[in-house]
Amino acid sequence: MSKWKTTSLLLLLCILLILPYQGRRTQVNAEADTDAAQDLPKVEEKIGGVPSGLSTDSEVVKRESESISGRSLRAEAEKFQFQAEVSRLMDIIINSLYSNKDIFLRELISNASDALDKIRFLSLTDKEVLGEGENAKLEIQIKLDKEKKILSIRDRGIGMTKEDLIKNLGTIAKSGTSSFVEKMQTSGDLNLIGQFGVGFYSVYLVADYVEVISKHNDDKQYVWESKADGNFAISEDTWNESLGRGTEIRLHLRDEAQEYLDEFKLKELVKRYSEFINFPIYLWASKQVDEEVPADEEESTEDEDSSDSKPSEEEEEDTEKEEETKTKKIQQTVHDWELLNDMKAIWLRSPREVTEEEYAKFYHSLAKDFSEDKPMAWSHFNAEGDVEFKAVLFVPPKAPHDLYESYYNSKKSNLKLYVRRVFISDEFDELLPKYLNFLLGLVDSDTLPLNVSREMLQQHSSLKTIKKKLIRKALDMIRKLAEEDPDEANDDKKDSEESGEVDEKKGQYTKFWNEFGKSIKLGIIEDATNRNRLAKLLRFETSTSDGKLTSLDKYISRMKPGQKDILYITGTSKEQLEKSPFLERLKKKNYEVIFFTDPVDEYLMQYLMDYEDKKFQNVSKEGLKLGKDSKDKELKDSFKELTKWWKSALASENVDDVKVSNRLADSPCIVVTSKFGWSANMERIMQSQTLSDSNRQAYMRGKRVLEINPRHPIIKELRERVVKDPEDASVKQTAQLMYQTALMESGFILSDPKDFASRIYSSVKSSLNVDPEATVEEEVEVEEAETEDTSKETESSPKIDEPEDLKDEL
């Protein structure tokens, strides 16, 4: 048995010795075959065919294969094979077409920042790990080599040993990698990169050959290299400049990724994704400078000739001037390190340590706003508990011009999401409700997974908690803005304020309301949970506010004794509402009525049913109660016959009832609607909709009720005539005309304007004593015919020559 074992071991050793030799022969033969094949003519298949959306263009494949074949791993390097899942991952990245390749730089800078964080943490207990001089500088450097098409990213972080290079770049130790690869294959969502610890492999989106040079304090400097062909090699670095400590990644860019050799492109990506990284990020950038150089020989000769012509006395005095003229300024291109992330992450500091100027500067940087206007308010807070995050919210000084144009269609939010100071996205509209989309700011969370995709964020358990806290803080910020405004405060509080602060904050909430008031109203409609808190932020004008804005709390404090409802009216303008007949008796009794003039107010009041146990009452609808009058019952009884007759006379107008009014003082009659139906203003708004359906709107129109003023002389006279002759045609005509007039005065649109005009003309005839049977005189057609004959005769008559003298005079 032992004999067989010895023979097997010898055979196995022979095979192992032969395989590398055969492999080298195969490689040499393959390279020779490749060189020979390049001279042969090639026929392109599928000429004129359009490549599939999921396949790679044949020209791209050709260029990539040529580029990769031009570079080979170093022969003396130690060869390794990637883990199977890594090979699958890189195959997906390389052979798929993605639109957003920019994220590779974000991933590399994030990895560099993590390495710097690690060495800084170690230096807290051992300062010697940082070293001295350049090694002690914790920074990230980006450098371009346009000739060689190389992009380098270097950090002075902790670095990697040889074992680290094999473990971190050759395998994916984190669990869940298989599910990540499957998700990439099915959805192709690049935002998933980094979610499973595979951010480094995004370099193959733009590079076909990658070198990683790394130096750890406990090991020598090594080079890791790979062409993403399933293999990688590691060798001791004896030819590159010593890093001292840290890692440098060199990307040999593909032909399709040459845009990343542009300095402006790299600056844009760093500003977008990595602006608030803790460590400084430098770019080896070029700039034009003016430099003085010696003038040309011809110019200097001319200067000498001109100097010889001068008198000898002036030569000594002008020597210095002559030397200056022998130099000239030219523009030269110089390179230097340029800091890209000079804006600090102020949300990481305590709010007490940040000044107003710093907040204003940070807002302008965040909003890309280059004006001098400061934000109206801001809120800087740290949330702790189940979900920990830091956030800064700003109220802009002005509303964007298109804030409400695409309110329900826009998916972009002004709130940026960061994870550990790395920008993830600004397309998460789930962090704030739409009615708060005017706020600017950012959220930085350490509990959310890095580079989380939008779909994963929606399913993340932390999202609801973050959203709830953000809404509460945003509303508190707006409430505080109102409380600090002297115009909103009480008179006794105004006197105690300092004059400087009063002048600065005066009118701020009025300005906010004029810019963003509609958003608060939309919030009341959409957010039932915070409806009462949003209602406290409402502002409006009233019949007694003298043009100033007031709140619901102030309105309730001024309510009359015994008043149970909050009274309001809707319309197109304040001027129109002030003259409304609905307010006649309310004004005489000194009731305060809220004016709602925004179209969205009609929708608002359908959701805001009560506030602080007070119901809302539209004074143009049924249900208005102004206290009991002992004479009301007697008046109703005395006009019972008139109201019954009038209702039958208006049977064709779909009038639900005719009643004696308790809201009129000077007008004879008015038309009100049922309590839960549309008001006249709402009917007009709905009819003006582009896709309105008149048949469906008929169900929502409120029942119309004609209310009459029993004290008005017209109504009294009408009652007398109805008692004498209920069938009198002129009385019926008058009753119909009064109803149509009341409709117009109440804000309704007449269904038959022609009929109304005819009744008006009939009334005018009666007042002018014109016979009702009188007709319009018909136009005589004969005169028109005679005129046509006369014109024809004039055209056909011979032209009489004018004398020459007369022509000259003319």
Side-chain angles (χ1 to χ4, degrees):
M1 191 69 182
S2 59
K3 184 178 180 181
W4 282 104
K5 285 183 179 180
T6 306
T7 307
S8 301
L9 287 172
L10 290 173
L11 182 61
L12 182 60
L13 286 172
C14 293
I15 293 173
L16 290 175
L17 291 171
I18 294 171
L19 278 176
Y21 175 74
Q22 291 293 333
R24 286 193 294 271
R25 287 187 59 189
T26 305
Q27 182 178 0
V28 172
N29 292 337
E31 290 177 357
D33 294 341
T34 304
D35 295 336
Q38 287 178 352
D39 299 330
L40 298 176
K42 296 183 179 180
V43 179
E44 186 178 354
E45 297 181 358
K46 298 182 180 179
I47 296 176
V50 179
S52 171
L54 295 177
S55 63
T56 308
D57 187 271
S58 59
E59 290 296 325
V60 177
V61 174
K62 180 181 176 182
R63 288 196 299 270
E64 287 182 0
S65 61
E66 291 175 354
S67 177
I68 293 174
S69 62
R71 303 187 183 99
S72 59
L73 302 182
R74 292 176 177 84
E76 68 277 7
E78 189 176 354
K79 309 297 190 303
F80 299 89
Q81 283 191 340
F82 280 111
Q83 188 183 19
E85 290 176 347
V86 177
S87 298
R88 289 177 61 198
L89 169 66
M90 291 191 294
D91 183 63
I92 294 169
I93 294 175
I94 296 169
N95 296 316
S96 301
L97 299 177
Y98 293 103
S99 58
N100 184 20
K101 298 181 179 181
D102 299 343
I103 58 108
F104 83 93
L105 188 61
R106 175 186 73 184
E107 297 301 324
L108 294 182
I109 292 177
S110 298
N111 291 342
S113 176
D114 290 342
L116 291 167
D117 272 327
K118 290 177 182 178
I119 195 65
R120 184 172 62 178
F121 178 75
L122 292 175
S123 67
L124 296 177
T125 55
D126 184 6
K127 293 183 179 180
E128 294 182 359
V129 297
L130 284 180
E132 298 177 353
E134 294 292 325
N135 289 338
K137 295 180 181 179
L138 301 182
E139 59 189 16
I140 301 170
Q141 296 177 342
I142 304 173
K143 200 168 186 179
L144 301 173
D145 188 339
K146 295 185 179 181
E147 294 182 1
K148 297 181 180 179
K149 302 177 182 178
I150 296 176
L151 172 63
S152 303
I153 297 94
R154 177 181 175 178
D155 66 77
R156 289 191 171 89
I158 193 170
M160 288 182 281
T161 64
K162 181 179 179 181
E163 292 183 2
D164 292 335
L165 289 170
I166 299 172
K167 182 177 68 173
N168 296 338
L169 304 185
T171 62
I172 305 177
K174 190 171 180 179
S175 61
T177 307
S178 298
S179 59
F180 166 78
V181 173
E182 291 172 4
K183 186 110 179 178
M184 279 278 289
Q185 287 176 322
T186 55
S187 67
D189 187 0
L190 264 187
N191 287 324
L192 294 170
I193 289 184
Q195 173 63 28
F196 297 88
V198 293
F200 167 76
Y201 302 105
S202 61
V203 295
Y204 291 107
L205 291 167
V206 297
D208 52 24
Y209 177 67
V210 178
E211 294 177 275
V212 180
I213 307 167
S214 192
K215 172 69 173 70
H216 191 279
N217 286 339
D218 299 336
D219 204 347
K220 299 177 182 178
Q221 182 166 311
Y222 286 93
V223 177
W224 179 99
E225 53 184 332
S226 175
K227 297 190 296 182
D229 57 354
N231 300 312
F232 65 92
I234 297 178
S235 55
E236 183 180 345
D237 188 2
T238 56
W239 56 92
N240 287 310
E241 181 184 353
S242 176
L243 297 179
R245 187 194 65 252
T247 301
E248 180 178 347
I249 301 177
R250 295 177 183 174
L251 309 181
H252 297 256
L253 298 177
R254 301 168 180 261
D255 292 336
E256 292 76 28
Q258 299 304 306
E259 59 179 316
Y260 299 107
L261 292 173
D262 184 7
E263 293 178 8
F264 295 103
K265 176 70 174 179
L266 294 177
K267 290 179 184 179
E268 177 191 346
L269 294 182
V270 172
K271 287 283 185 183
R272 177 172 174 79
Y273 291 107
S274 309
E275 185 177 11
F276 301 109
I277 289 292
N278 257 354
F279 303 97
I281 302 173
Y282 291 97
L283 174 67
W284 186 250
S286 61
K287 59 181 179 180
Q288 299 290 331
V289 295
D290 292 333
E291 187 174 341
E292 289 190 356
V293 297
D296 296 337
E297 292 182 1
E298 296 180 0
E299 295 179 1
S300 59
T301 304
E302 291 177 1
D303 292 341
E304 290 175 2
D305 294 340
S306 61
S307 62
D308 292 340
S309 62
K310 292 182 181 179
S312 59
E313 296 178 357
E314 298 179 358
E315 287 183 359
E316 294 180 358
E317 297 177 0
D318 297 339
T319 303
E320 295 182 359
K321 294 183 180 179
E322 289 179 10
E323 291 178 355
E324 292 179 1
T325 56
K326 292 181 181 179
T327 62
K328 65 176 181 179
K329 289 185 178 180
I330 62 170
Q331 280 195 342
Q332 286 192 350
T333 303
V334 296
H335 289 79
D336 198 2
W337 292 110
E338 180 181 345
L339 182 64
L340 301 184
N341 59 335
D342 55 343
M343 183 57 62
K344 300 301 180 183
I346 64 171
W347 67 86
L348 300 177
R349 296 159 57 188
S350 171
R352 297 177 181 177
E353 299 174 358
V354 186
T355 63
E356 289 189 9
E357 290 74 17
E358 287 177 315
Y359 279 122
K361 183 180 178 182
F362 183 76
Y363 164 77
H364 288 127
S365 173
L366 193 67
K368 303 297 185 287
D369 182 5
F370 303 103
S371 66
E372 296 182 358
D373 297 333
K374 292 183 179 180
M376 291 190 199
W378 55 81
S379 178
H380 178 191
F381 59 94
N382 300 336
E384 298 178 352
D386 297 338
V387 179
E388 295 184 0
F389 67 92
K390 301 174 180 64
V392 181
L393 301 176
F394 293 96
V395 177
K398 293 180 181 179
H401 66 279
D402 58 346
L403 179 60
Y404 303 108
E405 289 181 4
S406 57
Y407 180 77
Y408 289 105
N409 297 327
S410 177
K411 293 183 179 180
K412 189 173 182 180
S413 172
N414 290 323
L415 195 66
K416 298 179 183 294
L417 176 65
Y418 285 75
V419 174
R420 296 188 285 279
R421 299 176 304 282
V422 177
F423 174 70
I424 302 304
S425 179
D426 56 0
E427 296 181 357
F428 293 125
D429 54 352
E430 294 85 2
L431 286 176
L432 274 181
K434 286 189 177 293
Y435 69 88
L436 291 176
N437 62 358
F438 64 89
L439 297 177
L440 270 77
L442 59 83
V443 177
D444 187 0
S445 173
D446 290 341
T447 58
L448 286 175
L450 188 62
N451 308 342
V452 65
S453 68
R454 182 180 177 187
E455 292 77 12
M456 297 182 70
L457 179 63
Q458 290 173 336
Q459 300 170 3
H460 204 274
S461 57
S462 310
L463 178 62
K464 291 183 179 179
T465 307
I466 294 177
K467 183 176 182 179
K468 186 177 179 180
K469 291 184 179 180
L470 285 175
I471 294 174
R472 189 180 75 250
K473 287 292 185 178
L475 297 184
D476 287 344
M477 172 179 60
I478 299 172
R479 176 185 54 79
K480 187 178 178 182
L481 179 65
E483 292 175 351
E484 293 178 349
D485 189 346
D487 291 342
E488 296 281 327
N490 297 325
D491 295 336
D492 55 348
K493 192 175 180 180
K494 289 182 184 179
D495 298 336
S496 63
E497 299 257 356
E498 295 182 3
S499 59
E501 295 180 0
V502 169
D503 294 339
E504 184 179 353
K505 297 179 180 179
K506 189 174 183 179
Q508 279 292 91
Y509 194 75
T510 301
K511 181 182 177 183
F512 166 82
W513 184 257
N514 292 334
E515 295 288 339
F516 307 107
K518 188 175 291 185
S519 294
I520 301 300
K521 296 175 181 178
L522 290 169
I524 294 175
I525 295 171
E526 298 171 2
D527 191 353
T529 306
N530 296 289
R531 186 164 292 156
N532 192 60
R533 300 180 69 185
L534 287 163
K536 289 183 179 293
L537 303 175
L538 274 178
R539 295 296 182 270
F540 39 77
E541 294 184 45
T542 69
S543 56
T544 61
S545 65
D546 297 328
K548 294 182 179 179
L549 295 178
T550 188
S551 64
L552 286 174
D553 290 327
K554 287 186 178 180
Y555 177 93
I556 292 176
S557 67
R558 297 193 294 261
M559 286 174 62
K560 293 187 66 175
Q563 181 182 345
K564 296 181 179 179
D565 298 332
I566 300 173
L567 306 178
Y568 73 93
I569 186 172
T570 59
T572 55
S573 66
K574 176 189 172 185
E575 292 73 19
Q576 176 209 6
L577 295 179
E578 286 178 334
K579 301 174 183 177
S580 174
F582 293 107
L583 305 182
E584 291 176 354
R585 198 170 180 192
L586 293 169
K587 284 183 177 179
K588 286 191 174 183
K589 291 195 172 187
N590 295 322
Y591 280 96
E592 187 176 11
V593 182
I594 297 172
F595 292 156
F596 284 131
T597 56
D598 196 337
V600 76
D601 292 334
E602 286 286 356
Y603 302 92
L604 167 70
M605 299 316 296
Q606 294 177 20
Y607 292 87
L608 192 61
M609 308 300 295
D610 57 78
Y611 178 79
E612 300 293 341
D613 298 328
K614 303 286 185 182
K615 300 287 185 182
F616 284 91
Q617 173 62 51
N618 190 335
V619 299
S620 68
K621 291 185 177 183
E622 283 186 315
L624 180 65
K625 297 177 182 179
L626 300 177
K628 293 183 179 180
D629 192 342
S630 58
K631 297 182 180 180
D632 286 348
K633 188 175 182 182
E634 296 179 7
L635 284 172
K636 289 180 180 179
D637 292 340
S638 62
F639 283 87
K640 189 173 183 179
E641 186 176 353
L642 175 62
T643 55
K644 186 177 180 182
W645 172 85
W646 210 334
K647 181 179 178 180
S648 61
L650 298 175
S652 61
E653 299 288 344
N654 295 322
V655 176
D656 188 61
D657 201 0
V658 179
K659 296 180 179 179
V660 174
S661 178
N662 65 339
R663 70 187 88 202
L664 292 175
D666 302 322
S667 300
C669 56
I670 203 168
V671 178
V672 300
T673 57
S674 58
K675 191 166 186 178
F676 299 104
W678 285 346
S679 64
N681 188 51
M682 188 64 176
E683 278 193 26
R684 184 171 56 254
I685 291 172
M686 295 306 296
Q687 288 178 7
S688 64
Q689 299 296 319
T690 307
L691 303 176
S692 61
D693 188 347
S694 58
N695 295 326
R696 292 185 178 181
Q697 291 177 7
Y699 294 102
M700 290 302 299
R701 288 196 183 101
K703 295 180 179 180
R704 295 175 181 178
V705 177
L706 177 66
E707 291 190 359
I708 61 175
N709 185 358
R711 299 173 182 83
H712 200 280
I714 295 178
I715 300 300
K716 289 181 178 180
E717 180 64 25
L718 195 61
R719 180 183 61 176
E720 298 289 335
R721 297 204 178 189
V722 169
V723 170
K724 290 180 181 180
D725 185 5
E727 301 299 326
D728 188 350
S730 62
V731 177
K732 290 184 177 181
Q733 178 84 358
T734 303
Q736 190 76 25
L737 181 60
M738 289 183 65
Y739 170 71
Q740 291 178 330
T741 306
L743 271 178
M744 291 187 62
E745 194 175 16
S746 303
F748 292 94
I749 299 174
L750 296 177
S751 58
D752 191 356
K754 179 67 177 176
D755 180 62
F756 173 71
S758 299
R759 295 181 192 279
I760 290 290
Y761 294 142
S762 298
S763 177
V764 172
K765 284 181 182 179
S766 177
S767 64
L768 296 176
N769 296 322
V770 177
D771 185 4
E773 302 297 330
T775 58
V776 181
E777 293 184 3
E778 294 185 2
E779 196 173 353
V780 182
E781 297 181 0
V782 179
E783 294 179 359
E784 188 175 337
E786 289 178 357
T787 305
E788 290 178 359
D789 295 340
T790 306
S791 61
K792 288 180 180 178
E793 290 177 0
T794 305
E795 292 175 359
S796 60
S797 60
K799 188 176 181 180
I800 301 173
D801 295 335
E802 296 178 355
E804 292 291 337
D805 297 339
L806 181 60
K807 287 182 180 181
D808 295 338
E809 290 178 4
L810 294 174

